[in-house]
Amino acid sequence: MSYILLIIGFIILIKAADFFVSGASSIAKALRIPTIIIGLTIVAFGTSAPEAAVSATAAFKGNNDMAIANVVGSNIFNLLAVVGISSMIKPVKVQKTTILKEFPFVLLASLVLLILSHDIKFQGYPENTLTKSDGLMLLALFSIFMYYLLEMAITSKEEMEVEQGSSKASIPKSILISLLGIIGIILGGKIVVDSATNIALALGMSENLVGLTIVSIGTSLPELVTSVVAARKGESDIAIGNIIGSNIFNILFVLGISSFIHTISVHTIVFVDMFIMFLVSIVTYIFATTKKEVNKLEGVILFCMYIAYMVFIIVRQ
């Protein structure tokens, strides 16, 4: 039964992502808003719903490892696997503004997380934690990012030429399609994660290993499917905007809310993963700046880096 549910889950994911990307693209055209902004906001926040739910719930229950590992692991998966697979299907073009403004914000968010959580070194405290005040600081940075996006949306709308055209579908219909899409993505993702976990446990894999592999990848399935579908449709702005927006959302909003709900203890081993997240952000950024796209070869390199990371964490455990 688990195998059947796994197949059903993937079918729902793929079809829902197709609806979601089409709806989001239609909204952008109807409102004459650049698709990169839609990718950075609606698409990114929608596909990050599973991470937000998992981390917030884990923090509320005091499960510190799950709360922070979920975010760090998902961000690494987004940068290496999602961008890698998407660009292997079709080179993902990156706009100049994304290279100069949005992508550096990912690097900043990753660096800020490293600094705020390293209390022993920078504050002289007995343990490393993300406190309520740290959470408020992350949320403040998130507010700044949202203000920037709002300002860019207004400016872009005023400057956009009529040549972009209007959407064939009405705005309410496009919104409905997008909502149905994101609901389907979340539902399909849950079915895939649950059925894959049952299969893995039945095959003798430990719960710890399942958590590090299937579950962490599962919460990022919405980003993966959405970006792959967007890349296939030639919607590069949605594909890359989804990843950048999701990573910023995960660090600043999800961890901001989670640490505000409950102080999160950060174990020393997590810093290795945080540092890896920062490094892969730099590598992906460098790839994006070359010819303003991530090509197929670079996509292969990114995906191979993710395989190497998976081997590393499995051996490390």
Side-chain angles (χ1 to χ4, degrees):
M1 187 62 183
S2 293
Y3 289 97
I4 297 175
L5 287 175
L6 184 64
I7 295 172
I8 292 174
F10 275 120
I11 293 174
I12 293 174
L13 263 176
I14 294 168
K15 194 61 183 175
D18 191 47
F19 271 48
F20 189 37
V21 172
S22 297
S25 180
S26 295
I27 292 171
K29 291 176 181 176
L31 297 177
R32 293 180 182 174
I33 296 174
T35 49
I36 183 64
I37 296 179
I38 297 295
L40 285 165
T41 54
I42 298 173
V43 178
F45 302 164
T47 55
S48 287
E51 286 93 336
V54 170
S55 289
T57 302
F60 185 75
K61 293 181 177 180
N63 297 332
N64 297 320
D65 291 343
M66 176 64 72
I68 196 163
N70 175 49
V71 166
V72 175
S74 293
N75 280 14
I76 292 173
F77 180 83
N78 286 344
L79 290 166
L80 297 182
V82 178
V83 176
I85 294 173
S86 298
S87 55
M88 280 192 287
I89 292 173
K90 190 174 184 178
V92 177
K93 296 187 182 300
V94 185
Q95 290 188 15
K96 185 177 179 180
T97 54
T98 303
I99 294 172
L100 295 176
K101 297 179 180 179
E102 289 93 45
F103 222 126
F105 211 94
V106 175
L107 298 175
L108 175 64
S110 301
L111 184 60
V112 168
L113 178 61
L114 262 173
I115 294 172
L116 288 181
S117 56
H118 218 321
D119 293 329
I120 295 177
K121 184 173 183 178
F122 294 109
Q123 300 289 339
Y125 293 164
E127 63 176 341
N128 295 313
T129 59
L130 282 175
T131 62
K132 286 190 175 183
S133 59
D134 292 332
L136 288 174
M137 188 172 294
L138 292 174
L139 290 172
L141 284 174
F142 180 72
S143 300
I144 293 173
F145 180 68
M146 289 304 298
Y147 174 78
Y148 157 72
L149 289 181
L150 180 61
E151 184 181 36
M152 186 170 68
I154 294 173
T155 303
S156 299
K157 187 175 181 180
E158 291 174 351
E159 296 178 351
M160 280 188 79
E161 305 249 345
V162 183
E163 65 184 35
Q164 185 179 10
S166 59
S167 174
K168 293 180 180 179
S170 64
I171 294 179
K173 184 178 178 180
S174 297
I175 292 175
L176 178 60
I177 291 173
S178 296
L179 287 175
L180 289 175
I182 191 61
I183 291 172
I185 286 171
I186 295 172
L187 176 62
K190 186 179 186 306
I191 293 173
V192 169
V193 171
D194 290 346
S195 56
T197 300
N198 290 335
I199 292 171
L201 291 175
L203 293 175
M205 293 175 65
S206 68
E207 289 189 20
N208 184 48
L209 184 57
V210 170
L212 284 170
T213 53
I214 297 172
V215 176
S216 63
I217 293 172
T219 56
S220 290
L221 278 178
E223 285 92 339
L224 174 61
V225 179
T226 300
S227 287
V228 167
V229 171
R232 184 175 56 82
K233 288 187 169 188
E235 296 282 2
S236 292
D237 285 344
I238 288 182
I240 195 69
N242 173 37
I243 300 308
I244 294 173
S246 292
N247 280 22
I248 292 173
F249 183 82
N250 286 344
I251 294 174
L252 300 183
F253 183 79
V254 175
L255 279 183
I257 288 292
S258 299
S259 55
F260 183 76
I261 292 174
H262 191 283
T263 297
I264 299 175
S265 297
V266 184
H267 295 154
T268 305
I269 195 171
V270 177
F271 285 107
V272 176
D273 300 292
M274 282 189 187
F275 188 66
I276 290 174
M277 179 181 71
F278 183 62
L279 284 180
V280 299
S281 298
I282 294 175
V283 171
T284 309
Y285 179 65
I286 292 172
F287 284 169
T289 58
T290 57
K291 298 181 181 179
K292 296 180 182 178
E293 70 173 18
V294 181
N295 60 39
K296 292 186 178 183
L297 176 60
E298 291 167 339
V300 171
I301 293 172
L302 290 174
F303 186 69
C304 288
M305 286 175 65
Y306 184 71
I307 298 298
Y309 172 69
M310 291 300 292
V311 172
F312 166 70
I313 61 173
I314 291 172
V315 172
R316 181 181 66 182
Q317 296 302 314

